[in-house]
Amino acid sequence: MTAGGHGGADELDFWSFIRLAQHRLAEEHGFGDRLATELLLTLNRASGIVTYDLEAAVHRPRGRSWSGFRLLFVVWLAGPLEAKKAAELTGMSRAAVSGLAKTLVGQGLLDRTPGERDGRSVLLSLTERGRREMLETFQAQHRREQEWAGVLTEAEQRILIMLLDKLITNRDQFDVRGRH
Amino acid sequence: MTAGGHGGADELDFWSFIRLAQHRLAEEHGFGDRLATELLLTLNRASGIVTYDLEAAVHRPRGRSWSGFRLLFVVWLAGPLEAKKAAELTGMSRAAVSGLAKTLVGQGLLDRTPGERDGRSVLLSLTERGRREMLETFQAQHRREQEWAGVLTEAEQRILIMLLDKLITNRDQFDVRGRH
DNA sequence: GATAGTTGATTAAGACTTTTACTAGTTTGG
DNA sequence: CCAAACTAGTAAAAGTCTTAATCAACTATC
């Protein structure tokens, strides 16, 4: 068999690639347990596909980015928030929140007011227009979320949430790297 | 209770935020089924946390980006690949692969040769150095993957993979947006 | 109370991704 | 056989993310 010749790569899709990868990792490189690899590959792929779809179907048509939505979403539901807290809840860096907030303030969706108890901090809150837009946008996203989740039964959804929770909750057992 | 005053946001973390969000979506905005929202929020959060950790712990210290690794990974295991195929398998756009390949060729990890059967296409393959580096890098990533997956039992890992598979496989039931 | 250290926000530089547009090679159908 | 349609790859512009550095404000300590 020539180098790279395993029947031609043309029929490969994501799942047959995973099988091929498993095979070569085991046979040619001697990796034993490959379940973890498959799990994380699948997790990232699933998240990427869903996120891309939501962004393309819901947010870009409205002139909004995925990150912009995430920031507006936490401010919408968790009330006025310090920028630092918003960064924690969205999983972004503080710098990303700072830049994004600048854009969203300019678009009239977000208000930025100085914090009271700490002169350095900044409180983010939605403008009236921001509130209106979030309600409409989230309705659209919610419909699409339900199409996605709908391929699983309710029980399956609950199990999936539980397993994902467990995956990221028990991580204190080793030294995980988080954003600054 | 004043605007935004629901006990102070200071104790909020990702999980208490989800509970708060659920509550406000139901009580103040009348959203009924919020399981789908929780599922996708948790999915994206889990993927983001794990990916960030792998990038920070394994790839950045080696001067490599997450995307660079993804591209090298598929080329490593699926042999010489047309750029288009590499884009499909990694889930990137063709343009992203093109740009990334340019960088990686410059770093001496990737070879780019003209395709034989199609004069437009480009075949990507690893250089000898690329192969050596991938073996070392993947060993490191594999160890860390196992730390992550290790908080779940093997049965749980298999169920999680199965549910994620189902989530993204059955999506033909509606009009999903994918990359170009 | 002055000072050292810490923390919040911001900016700057660089990497990466996206969409759009373009070039060039290939296929198809009259 | 040739023109129209299509496809692969690339480049450009705009946007987002990252880390590192900077500034300002708070806190603790001498």
Side-chain angles (χ1 to χ4, degrees):
Chain A
M1 195 181 272
T2 65
H6 25 70
D10 299 319
E11 318 95 38
L12 270 187
D13 64 9
F14 178 67
W15 281 275
S16 51
F17 167 70
I18 287 199
R19 283 194 298 277
L20 172 62
Q22 296 273 355
H23 177 75
R24 297 194 62 175
L25 286 172
E27 299 301 319
E28 299 178 25
H29 303 290
F31 284 96
D33 172 19
R34 288 146 288 125
L35 191 57
T37 301
E38 181 177 356
L39 175 60
L40 300 189
L41 233 35
T42 308
L43 173 62
N44 284 321
R45 170 52 61 106
S47 171
I49 287 177
V50 174
T51 302
Y52 186 90
D53 173 71
L54 289 176
E55 179 165 20
V58 177
H59 302 293
R60 265 204 302 275
R62 290 171 171 75
R64 211 59 62 213
S65 71
W66 176 247
S67 341
F69 173 76
R70 267 158 70 211
L71 179 55
L72 291 172
F73 184 72
V74 301
V75 176
W76 183 43
L77 293 177
L81 278 180
E82 290 184 2
K84 181 198 165 115
K85 205 71 202 173
E88 271 178 47
L89 296 181
T90 54
M92 304 175 187
S93 67
R94 279 175 303 148
V97 168
S98 176
L100 217 34
K102 193 175 178 180
T103 305
L104 294 170
V105 167
Q107 294 171 338
L109 300 168
L110 218 50
D111 270 337
R112 181 169 42 194
T113 57
E116 290 171 15
R117 61 155 225 270
D118 185 333
R120 294 164 299 181
S121 76
V122 161
L123 272 185
L124 300 176
S125 55
L126 289 197
T127 61
E128 184 47 38
R129 176 163 161 229
R131 261 188 296 279
R132 274 201 312 276
E133 191 179 301
M134 273 312 284
L135 187 56
E136 194 279 319
T137 302
F138 183 72
Q139 280 166 347
Q141 159 144 341
H142 187 242
R143 281 191 292 274
R144 198 143 187 105
E145 285 174 342
Q146 292 190 308
E147 292 193 278
W148 275 105
V151 305
L152 302 180
T153 67
E154 187 179 324
E156 286 172 333
Q157 292 180 49
R158 292 191 192 285
I159 293 170
L160 184 45
I161 290 172
M162 195 220 12
L163 291 174
L164 290 169
D165 263 9
K166 187 172 177 188
L167 185 67
I168 50 184
T169 301
N170 287 34
R171 69 188 192 275
D172 326 304
Q173 294 173 13
F174 57 101
D175 173 37
V176 171
R177 311 301 171 91
R179 283 177 181 74
H180 293 311
Chain B
M1 196 180 266
T2 66
H6 25 70
D10 298 319
E11 319 95 38
L12 271 186
D13 64 7
F14 179 67
W15 282 275
S16 51
F17 167 69
I18 286 199
R19 283 194 298 277
L20 172 62
Q22 296 273 355
H23 177 74
R24 296 194 63 175
L25 285 173
E27 299 301 319
E28 299 177 25
H29 303 292
F31 285 95
D33 171 20
R34 288 143 290 125
L35 190 58
T37 301
E38 182 177 356
L39 175 59
L40 300 189
L41 233 35
T42 308
L43 173 63
N44 285 322
R45 171 51 63 105
S47 170
I49 288 177
V50 174
T51 302
Y52 186 89
D53 173 71
L54 289 176
E55 178 166 19
V58 177
H59 302 292
R60 264 204 303 275
R62 289 171 170 76
R64 210 60 60 213
S65 71
W66 176 248
S67 341
F69 171 76
R70 267 157 71 210
L71 180 54
L72 291 172
F73 184 72
V74 301
V75 175
W76 183 42
L77 293 177
L81 276 181
E82 292 184 358
K84 180 197 165 116
K85 205 70 201 171
E88 273 177 46
L89 296 182
T90 54
M92 304 175 189
S93 67
R94 280 177 303 148
V97 169
S98 174
L100 216 35
K102 195 175 176 180
T103 305
L104 294 170
V105 167
Q107 294 171 338
L109 299 168
L110 218 49
D111 270 337
R112 183 169 39 193
T113 57
E116 291 172 15
R117 62 155 223 271
D118 185 333
R120 294 163 303 180
S121 74
V122 161
L123 273 186
L124 300 176
S125 56
L126 288 197
T127 61
E128 184 48 39
R129 174 163 163 230
R131 260 189 296 280
R132 275 201 311 276
E133 189 177 303
M134 273 312 285
L135 187 55
E136 194 279 319
T137 302
F138 183 72
Q139 279 166 347
Q141 159 142 342
H142 187 241
R143 281 190 293 275
R144 198 139 187 105
E145 284 174 343
Q146 291 191 310
E147 291 192 279
W148 274 106
V151 304
L152 302 180
T153 67
E154 187 179 323
E156 286 172 332
Q157 292 180 48
R158 291 192 191 285
I159 292 171
L160 184 45
I161 290 172
M162 192 212 33
L163 291 175
L164 291 169
D165 264 9
K166 186 172 176 187
L167 185 67
I168 49 184
T169 302
N170 288 32
R171 70 187 190 276
D172 326 304
Q173 295 172 13
F174 58 102
D175 172 37
V176 171
R177 311 302 171 91
R179 284 177 180 76
H180 294 310

